[in-house]
PDB file of all heavy atoms in Angstrom:
ATOM      1  N   LEU P   1      47.509 -52.982 -86.769  1.00 88.00           N
ATOM      2  CA  LEU P   1      47.989 -52.235 -85.617  1.00 88.00           C
ATOM      3  C   LEU P   1      48.348 -50.843 -86.107  1.00 88.00           C
ATOM      4  O   LEU P   1      49.136 -50.689 -87.043  1.00 88.00           O
ATOM      5  CB  LEU P   1      49.238 -52.925 -85.033  1.00 88.00           C
ATOM      6  CG  LEU P   1      50.033 -52.153 -83.990  1.00 88.00           C
ATOM      7  CD1 LEU P   1      49.182 -51.884 -82.750  1.00 88.00           C
ATOM      8  CD2 LEU P   1      51.275 -52.941 -83.617  1.00 88.00           C
ATOM      9  N   ASN P   2      47.756 -49.831 -85.526  1.00 87.00           N
ATOM     10  CA  ASN P   2      48.075 -48.444 -85.842  1.00 87.00           C
ATOM     11  C   ASN P   2      48.813 -47.846 -84.669  1.00 87.00           C
ATOM     12  O   ASN P   2      48.220 -47.605 -83.608  1.00 87.00           O
ATOM     13  CB  ASN P   2      46.803 -47.645 -86.128  1.00 87.00           C
ATOM     14  CG  ASN P   2      46.105 -48.131 -87.372  1.00 87.00           C
ATOM     15  OD1 ASN P   2      46.682 -48.141 -88.437  1.00 87.00           O
ATOM     16  ND2 ASN P   2      44.866 -48.552 -87.217  1.00 87.00           N
ATOM     17  N   ILE P   3      50.099 -47.628 -84.825  1.00 83.00           N
ATOM     18  CA  ILE P   3      50.916 -47.042 -83.758  1.00 83.00           C
ATOM     19  C   ILE P   3      50.821 -45.528 -83.913  1.00 83.00           C
ATOM     20  O   ILE P   3      51.205 -44.982 -84.940  1.00 83.00           O
ATOM     21  CB  ILE P   3      52.370 -47.550 -83.825  1.00 83.00           C
ATOM     22  CG1 ILE P   3      52.361 -49.079 -83.690  1.00 83.00           C
ATOM     23  CG2 ILE P   3      53.218 -46.892 -82.752  1.00 83.00           C
ATOM     24  CD1 ILE P   3      53.707 -49.731 -83.841  1.00 83.00           C
ATOM     25  N   LYS P   4      50.308 -44.866 -82.887  1.00 85.00           N
ATOM     26  CA  LYS P   4      49.941 -43.450 -82.993  1.00 85.00           C
ATOM     27  C   LYS P   4      50.997 -42.477 -82.497  1.00 85.00           C
ATOM     28  O   LYS P   4      50.743 -41.290 -82.396  1.00 85.00           O
ATOM     29  CB  LYS P   4      48.631 -43.231 -82.247  1.00 85.00           C
ATOM     30  CG  LYS P   4      47.507 -44.041 -82.847  1.00 85.00           C
ATOM     31  CD  LYS P   4      46.237 -43.940 -82.063  1.00 85.00           C
ATOM     32  CE  LYS P   4      45.201 -44.802 -82.762  1.00 85.00           C
ATOM     33  NZ  LYS P   4      44.050 -45.065 -82.006  1.00 85.00           N
ATOM     34  N   ARG P   5      52.175 -42.988 -82.180  1.00 84.00           N
ATOM     35  CA  ARG P   5      53.260 -42.084 -81.747  1.00 84.00           C
ATOM     36  C   ARG P   5      54.571 -42.596 -82.320  1.00 84.00           C
ATOM     37  O   ARG P   5      54.694 -43.758 -82.699  1.00 84.00           O
ATOM     38  CB  ARG P   5      53.320 -42.007 -80.232  1.00 84.00           C
ATOM     39  CG  ARG P   5      53.634 -43.336 -79.565  1.00 84.00           C
ATOM     40  CD  ARG P   5      53.703 -43.199 -78.044  1.00 84.00           C
ATOM     41  NE  ARG P   5      53.912 -44.490 -77.431  1.00 84.00           N
ATOM     42  CZ  ARG P   5      55.091 -45.076 -77.271  1.00 84.00           C
ATOM     43  NH1 ARG P   5      56.194 -44.480 -77.662  1.00 84.00           N
ATOM     44  NH2 ARG P   5      55.195 -46.235 -76.688  1.00 84.00           N
ATOM     45  N   TYR P   6      55.548 -41.704 -82.391  1.00 82.00           N
ATOM     46  CA  TYR P   6      56.871 -42.126 -82.865  1.00 82.00           C
ATOM     47  C   TYR P   6      57.480 -43.075 -81.849  1.00 82.00           C
ATOM     48  O   TYR P   6      57.286 -42.910 -80.635  1.00 82.00           O
ATOM     49  CB  TYR P   6      57.784 -40.914 -83.046  1.00 82.00           C
ATOM     50  CG  TYR P   6      57.339 -39.990 -84.152  1.00 82.00           C
ATOM     51  CD1 TYR P   6      57.059 -38.658 -83.892  1.00 82.00           C
ATOM     52  CD2 TYR P   6      57.216 -40.438 -85.454  1.00 82.00           C
ATOM     53  CE1 TYR P   6      56.654 -37.803 -84.906  1.00 82.00           C
ATOM     54  CE2 TYR P   6      56.800 -39.600 -86.465  1.00 82.00           C
ATOM     55  CZ  TYR P   6      56.529 -38.282 -86.196  1.00 82.00           C
ATOM     56  OH  TYR P   6      56.130 -37.450 -87.189  1.00 82.00           O
ATOM     57  N   PRO P   7      58.229 -44.082 -82.307  1.00 76.00           N
ATOM     58  CA  PRO P   7      58.836 -45.005 -81.341  1.00 76.00           C
ATOM     59  C   PRO P   7      59.914 -44.295 -80.519  1.00 76.00           C
ATOM     60  O   PRO P   7      60.683 -43.495 -81.056  1.00 76.00           O
ATOM     61  CB  PRO P   7      59.434 -46.101 -82.222  1.00 76.00           C
ATOM     62  CG  PRO P   7      59.551 -45.516 -83.576  1.00 76.00           C
ATOM     63  CD  PRO P   7      58.530 -44.427 -83.686  1.00 76.00           C
ATOM     64  N   PRO P   8      59.981 -44.584 -79.215  1.00 74.00           N
ATOM     65  CA  PRO P   8      61.044 -43.987 -78.412  1.00 74.00           C
ATOM     66  C   PRO P   8      62.401 -44.566 -78.824  1.00 74.00           C
ATOM     67  O   PRO P   8      62.477 -45.633 -79.446  1.00 74.00           O
ATOM     68  CB  PRO P   8      60.680 -44.390 -76.970  1.00 74.00           C
ATOM     69  CG  PRO P   8      59.805 -45.581 -77.111  1.00 74.00           C
ATOM     70  CD  PRO P   8      59.099 -45.446 -78.433  1.00 74.00           C
ATOM     71  N   GLY P   9      63.461 -43.870 -78.474  1.00 74.00           N
ATOM     72  CA  GLY P   9      64.804 -44.295 -78.858  1.00 74.00           C
ATOM     73  C   GLY P   9      65.189 -45.676 -78.378  1.00 74.00           C
ATOM     74  O   GLY P   9      65.990 -46.360 -79.012  1.00 74.00           O
ATOM     75  N   ASP P  10      64.618 -46.145 -77.276  1.00 75.00           N
ATOM     76  CA  ASP P  10      64.978 -47.450 -76.728  1.00 75.00           C
ATOM     77  C   ASP P  10      64.003 -48.560 -77.150  1.00 75.00           C
ATOM     78  O   ASP P  10      64.096 -49.683 -76.664  1.00 75.00           O
ATOM     79  CB  ASP P  10      65.069 -47.384 -75.207  1.00 75.00           C
ATOM     80  CG  ASP P  10      63.746 -47.016 -74.543  1.00 75.00           C
ATOM     81  OD1 ASP P  10      62.795 -46.611 -75.253  1.00 75.00           O
ATOM     82  OD2 ASP P  10      63.658 -47.118 -73.299  1.00 75.00           O
ATOM     83  N   TYR P  11      63.077 -48.276 -78.049  1.00 71.00           N
ATOM     84  CA  TYR P  11      62.116 -49.285 -78.476  1.00 71.00           C
ATOM     85  C   TYR P  11      62.807 -50.374 -79.271  1.00 71.00           C
ATOM     86  O   TYR P  11      63.536 -50.098 -80.214  1.00 71.00           O
ATOM     87  CB  TYR P  11      61.012 -48.638 -79.323  1.00 71.00           C
ATOM     88  CG  TYR P  11      59.982 -49.624 -79.818  1.00 71.00           C
ATOM     89  CD1 TYR P  11      59.107 -50.256 -78.940  1.00 71.00           C
ATOM     90  CD2 TYR P  11      59.882 -49.938 -81.160  1.00 71.00           C
ATOM     91  CE1 TYR P  11      58.176 -51.164 -79.393  1.00 71.00           C
ATOM     92  CE2 TYR P  11      58.946 -50.840 -81.625  1.00 71.00           C
ATOM     93  CZ  TYR P  11      58.095 -51.446 -80.723  1.00 71.00           C
ATOM     94  OH  TYR P  11      57.164 -52.356 -81.170  1.00 71.00           O
ATOM     95  N   ARG P  12      62.589 -51.620 -78.905  1.00 68.00           N
ATOM     96  CA  ARG P  12      63.226 -52.752 -79.582  1.00 68.00           C
ATOM     97  C   ARG P  12      62.207 -53.814 -80.016  1.00 68.00           C
ATOM     98  O   ARG P  12      62.542 -54.964 -80.182  1.00 68.00           O
ATOM     99  CB  ARG P  12      64.276 -53.407 -78.664  1.00 68.00           C
ATOM    100  CG  ARG P  12      65.418 -52.480 -78.269  1.00 68.00           C
ATOM    101  CD  ARG P  12      66.274 -52.150 -79.489  1.00 68.00           C
ATOM    102  NE  ARG P  12      67.359 -51.265 -79.129  1.00 68.00           N
ATOM    103  CZ  ARG P  12      67.414 -49.980 -79.415  1.00 68.00           C
ATOM    104  NH1 ARG P  12      66.441 -49.390 -80.063  1.00 68.00           N
ATOM    105  NH2 ARG P  12      68.438 -49.239 -79.050  1.00 68.00           N
ATOM    106  N   GLY P  13      60.946 -53.398 -80.214  1.00 63.00           N
ATOM    107  CA  GLY P  13      59.912 -54.337 -80.603  1.00 63.00           C
ATOM    108  C   GLY P  13      60.065 -54.846 -82.019  1.00 63.00           C
ATOM    109  O   GLY P  13      59.539 -55.882 -82.365  1.00 63.00           O
ATOM    110  N   VAL P  14      60.755 -54.121 -82.867  1.00 61.00           N
ATOM    111  CA  VAL P  14      61.062 -54.550 -84.225  1.00 61.00           C
ATOM    112  C   VAL P  14      62.562 -54.411 -84.416  1.00 61.00           C
ATOM    113  O   VAL P  14      63.248 -53.758 -83.631  1.00 61.00           O
ATOM    114  CB  VAL P  14      60.307 -53.757 -85.310  1.00 61.00           C
ATOM    115  CG1 VAL P  14      58.819 -53.956 -85.184  1.00 61.00           C
ATOM    116  CG2 VAL P  14      60.655 -52.297 -85.268  1.00 61.00           C
ATOM    117  N   SER P  15      63.056 -54.996 -85.476  1.00 60.00           N
ATOM    118  CA  SER P  15      64.502 -55.009 -85.686  1.00 60.00           C
ATOM    119  C   SER P  15      65.103 -53.606 -85.714  1.00 60.00           C
ATOM    120  O   SER P  15      66.074 -53.336 -85.044  1.00 60.00           O
ATOM    121  CB  SER P  15      64.833 -55.724 -86.994  1.00 60.00           C
ATOM    122  OG  SER P  15      64.388 -57.054 -86.926  1.00 60.00           O
ATOM    123  N   ALA P  16      64.547 -52.702 -86.499  1.00 60.00           N
ATOM    124  CA  ALA P  16      65.107 -51.361 -86.609  1.00 60.00           C
ATOM    125  C   ALA P  16      64.038 -50.384 -87.076  1.00 60.00           C
ATOM    126  O   ALA P  16      63.935 -50.085 -88.259  1.00 60.00           O
ATOM    127  CB  ALA P  16      66.283 -51.359 -87.569  1.00 60.00           C
ATOM    128  N   PRO P  17      63.203 -49.871 -86.158  1.00 65.00           N
ATOM    129  CA  PRO P  17      62.164 -48.944 -86.587  1.00 65.00           C
ATOM    130  C   PRO P  17      62.764 -47.598 -86.983  1.00 65.00           C
ATOM    131  O   PRO P  17      63.812 -47.209 -86.470  1.00 65.00           O
ATOM    132  CB  PRO P  17      61.289 -48.808 -85.343  1.00 65.00           C
ATOM    133  CG  PRO P  17      62.238 -49.033 -84.206  1.00 65.00           C
ATOM    134  CD  PRO P  17      63.212 -50.070 -84.714  1.00 65.00           C
ATOM    135  N   ASN P  18      62.103 -46.908 -87.887  1.00 72.00           N
ATOM    136  CA  ASN P  18      62.501 -45.538 -88.191  1.00 72.00           C
ATOM    137  C   ASN P  18      61.994 -44.654 -87.064  1.00 72.00           C
ATOM    138  O   ASN P  18      60.825 -44.750 -86.670  1.00 72.00           O
ATOM    139  CB  ASN P  18      61.885 -45.068 -89.520  1.00 72.00           C
ATOM    140  CG  ASN P  18      62.483 -45.776 -90.704  1.00 72.00           C
ATOM    141  OD1 ASN P  18      63.652 -46.135 -90.702  1.00 72.00           O
ATOM    142  ND2 ASN P  18      61.678 -45.981 -91.720  1.00 72.00           N
ATOM    143  N   ALA P  19      62.830 -43.779 -86.561  1.00 75.00           N
ATOM    144  CA  ALA P  19      62.454 -42.920 -85.443  1.00 75.00           C
ATOM    145  C   ALA P  19      61.521 -41.793 -85.885  1.00 75.00           C
ATOM    146  O   ALA P  19      60.918 -41.148 -85.043  1.00 75.00           O
ATOM    147  CB  ALA P  19      63.706 -42.345 -84.793  1.00 75.00           C
ATOM    148  N   ASP P  20      61.405 -41.549 -87.178  1.00 79.00           N
ATOM    149  CA  ASP P  20      60.591 -40.444 -87.661  1.00 79.00           C
ATOM    150  C   ASP P  20      59.389 -40.906 -88.491  1.00 79.00           C
ATOM    151  O   ASP P  20      58.874 -40.178 -89.326  1.00 79.00           O
ATOM    152  CB  ASP P  20      61.448 -39.491 -88.481  1.00 79.00           C
ATOM    153  CG  ASP P  20      62.039 -40.162 -89.712  1.00 79.00           C
ATOM    154  OD1 ASP P  20      61.967 -41.390 -89.820  1.00 79.00           O
ATOM    155  OD2 ASP P  20      62.583 -39.438 -90.561  1.00 79.00           O
ATOM    156  N   ALA P  21      58.926 -42.135 -88.270  1.00 77.00           N
ATOM    157  CA  ALA P  21      57.802 -42.665 -89.039  1.00 77.00           C
ATOM    158  C   ALA P  21      56.744 -43.240 -88.112  1.00 77.00           C
ATOM    159  O   ALA P  21      57.064 -43.867 -87.109  1.00 77.00           O
ATOM    160  CB  ALA P  21      58.294 -43.752 -89.996  1.00 77.00           C
ATOM    161  N   LEU P  22      55.492 -42.987 -88.469  1.00 79.00           N
ATOM    162  CA  LEU P  22      54.381 -43.631 -87.773  1.00 79.00           C
ATOM    163  C   LEU P  22      54.062 -44.903 -88.538  1.00 79.00           C
ATOM    164  O   LEU P  22      54.096 -44.926 -89.761  1.00 79.00           O
ATOM    165  CB  LEU P  22      53.173 -42.707 -87.739  1.00 79.00           C
ATOM    166  CG  LEU P  22      53.368 -41.421 -86.930  1.00 79.00           C
ATOM    167  CD1 LEU P  22      52.147 -40.524 -87.079  1.00 79.00           C
ATOM    168  CD2 LEU P  22      53.636 -41.731 -85.474  1.00 79.00           C
ATOM    169  N   TYR P  23      53.737 -45.959 -87.820  1.00 79.00           N
ATOM    170  CA  TYR P  23      53.517 -47.254 -88.440  1.00 79.00           C
ATOM    171  C   TYR P  23      52.084 -47.724 -88.295  1.00 79.00           C
ATOM    172  O   TYR P  23      51.460 -47.539 -87.257  1.00 79.00           O
ATOM    173  CB  TYR P  23      54.417 -48.321 -87.789  1.00 79.00           C
ATOM    174  CG  TYR P  23      55.872 -48.199 -88.114  1.00 79.00           C
ATOM    175  CD1 TYR P  23      56.719 -47.426 -87.350  1.00 79.00           C
ATOM    176  CD2 TYR P  23      56.400 -48.865 -89.209  1.00 79.00           C
ATOM    177  CE1 TYR P  23      58.059 -47.314 -87.654  1.00 79.00           C
ATOM    178  CE2 TYR P  23      57.742 -48.767 -89.530  1.00 79.00           C
ATOM    179  CZ  TYR P  23      58.561 -47.986 -88.746  1.00 79.00           C
ATOM    180  OH  TYR P  23      59.892 -47.878 -89.065  1.00 79.00           O
ATOM    181  N   SER P  24      51.593 -48.355 -89.329  1.00 84.00           N
ATOM    182  CA  SER P  24      50.407 -49.200 -89.291  1.00 84.00           C
ATOM    183  C   SER P  24      50.863 -50.495 -89.927  1.00 84.00           C
ATOM    184  O   SER P  24      51.452 -50.478 -91.005  1.00 84.00           O
ATOM    185  CB  SER P  24      49.255 -48.595 -90.098  1.00 84.00           C
ATOM    186  OG  SER P  24      48.775 -47.439 -89.477  1.00 84.00           O
ATOM    187  N   LEU P  25      50.638 -51.595 -89.267  1.00 87.00           N
ATOM    188  CA  LEU P  25      51.148 -52.856 -89.803  1.00 87.00           C
ATOM    189  C   LEU P  25      50.275 -54.019 -89.384  1.00 87.00           C
ATOM    190  O   LEU P  25      49.443 -53.898 -88.486  1.00 87.00           O
ATOM    191  CB  LEU P  25      52.582 -53.092 -89.344  1.00 87.00           C
ATOM    192  CG  LEU P  25      52.834 -53.137 -87.835  1.00 87.00           C
ATOM    193  CD1 LEU P  25      53.003 -54.557 -87.384  1.00 87.00           C
ATOM    194  CD2 LEU P  25      54.054 -52.331 -87.509  1.00 87.00           C
ATOM    195  N   ALA P  26      50.474 -55.127 -90.082  1.00 91.00           N
ATOM    196  CA  ALA P  26      49.752 -56.360 -89.762  1.00 91.00           C
ATOM    197  C   ALA P  26      50.624 -57.544 -90.136  1.00 91.00           C
ATOM    198  O   ALA P  26      51.331 -57.508 -91.141  1.00 91.00           O
ATOM    199  CB  ALA P  26      48.437 -56.427 -90.531  1.00 91.00           C
ATOM    200  N   TRP P  27      50.592 -58.572 -89.316  1.00 91.00           N
ATOM    201  CA  TRP P  27      51.198 -59.857 -89.654  1.00 91.00           C
ATOM    202  C   TRP P  27      50.051 -60.711 -90.155  1.00 91.00           C
ATOM    203  O   TRP P  27      49.064 -60.926 -89.452  1.00 91.00           O
ATOM    204  CB  TRP P  27      51.853 -60.487 -88.432  1.00 91.00           C
ATOM    205  CG  TRP P  27      53.072 -59.752 -88.026  1.00 91.00           C
ATOM    206  CD1 TRP P  27      53.170 -58.756 -87.100  1.00 91.00           C
ATOM    207  CD2 TRP P  27      54.391 -59.930 -88.558  1.00 91.00           C
ATOM    208  NE1 TRP P  27      54.465 -58.305 -87.036  1.00 91.00           N
ATOM    209  CE2 TRP P  27      55.227 -59.013 -87.918  1.00 91.00           C
ATOM    210  CE3 TRP P  27      54.925 -60.774 -89.517  1.00 91.00           C
ATOM    211  CZ2 TRP P  27      56.587 -58.918 -88.199  1.00 91.00           C
ATOM    212  CZ3 TRP P  27      56.269 -60.682 -89.806  1.00 91.00           C
ATOM    213  CH2 TRP P  27      57.082 -59.753 -89.144  1.00 91.00           C
ATOM    214  N   LEU P  28      50.151 -61.164 -91.400  1.00 92.00           N
ATOM    215  CA  LEU P  28      49.048 -61.852 -92.048  1.00 92.00           C
ATOM    216  C   LEU P  28      49.362 -63.320 -92.300  1.00 92.00           C
ATOM    217  O   LEU P  28      50.429 -63.642 -92.820  1.00 92.00           O
ATOM    218  CB  LEU P  28      48.736 -61.162 -93.386  1.00 92.00           C
ATOM    219  CG  LEU P  28      48.457 -59.658 -93.297  1.00 92.00           C
ATOM    220  CD1 LEU P  28      48.332 -59.059 -94.679  1.00 92.00           C
ATOM    221  CD2 LEU P  28      47.218 -59.402 -92.462  1.00 92.00           C
ATOM    222  N   ASP P  29      48.429 -64.180 -91.933  1.00 92.00           N
ATOM    223  CA  ASP P  29      48.554 -65.609 -92.213  1.00 92.00           C
ATOM    224  C   ASP P  29      47.685 -65.915 -93.435  1.00 92.00           C
ATOM    225  O   ASP P  29      46.470 -66.005 -93.334  1.00 92.00           O
ATOM    226  CB  ASP P  29      48.094 -66.427 -91.010  1.00 92.00           C
ATOM    227  CG  ASP P  29      48.263 -67.925 -91.213  1.00 92.00           C
ATOM    228  OD1 ASP P  29      48.575 -68.347 -92.357  1.00 92.00           O
ATOM    229  OD2 ASP P  29      48.094 -68.668 -90.244  1.00 92.00           O
ATOM    230  N   VAL P  30      48.337 -66.009 -94.592  1.00 92.00           N
ATOM    231  CA  VAL P  30      47.628 -66.283 -95.836  1.00 92.00           C
ATOM    232  C   VAL P  30      47.825 -67.730 -96.283  1.00 92.00           C
ATOM    233  O   VAL P  30      47.607 -68.066 -97.438  1.00 92.00           O
ATOM    234  CB  VAL P  30      48.055 -65.288 -96.956  1.00 92.00           C
ATOM    235  CG1 VAL P  30      47.606 -63.890 -96.617  1.00 92.00           C
ATOM    236  CG2 VAL P  30      49.555 -65.341 -97.181  1.00 92.00           C
ATOM    237  N   GLY P  31      48.227 -68.587 -95.348  1.00 91.00           N
ATOM    238  CA  GLY P  31      48.492 -69.984 -95.671  1.00 91.00           C
ATOM    239  C   GLY P  31      47.244 -70.779 -96.003  1.00 91.00           C
ATOM    240  O   GLY P  31      47.220 -71.567 -96.930  1.00 91.00           O
TER     241      GLY P  31
END
């Protein structure tokens, strides 16, 4: 997932996103 904008102040999709960072992330099942 490539998030192309800074998270808004009220974003609660993750525990505590940095307000000044762009994120690319993945949840991986390596089981």
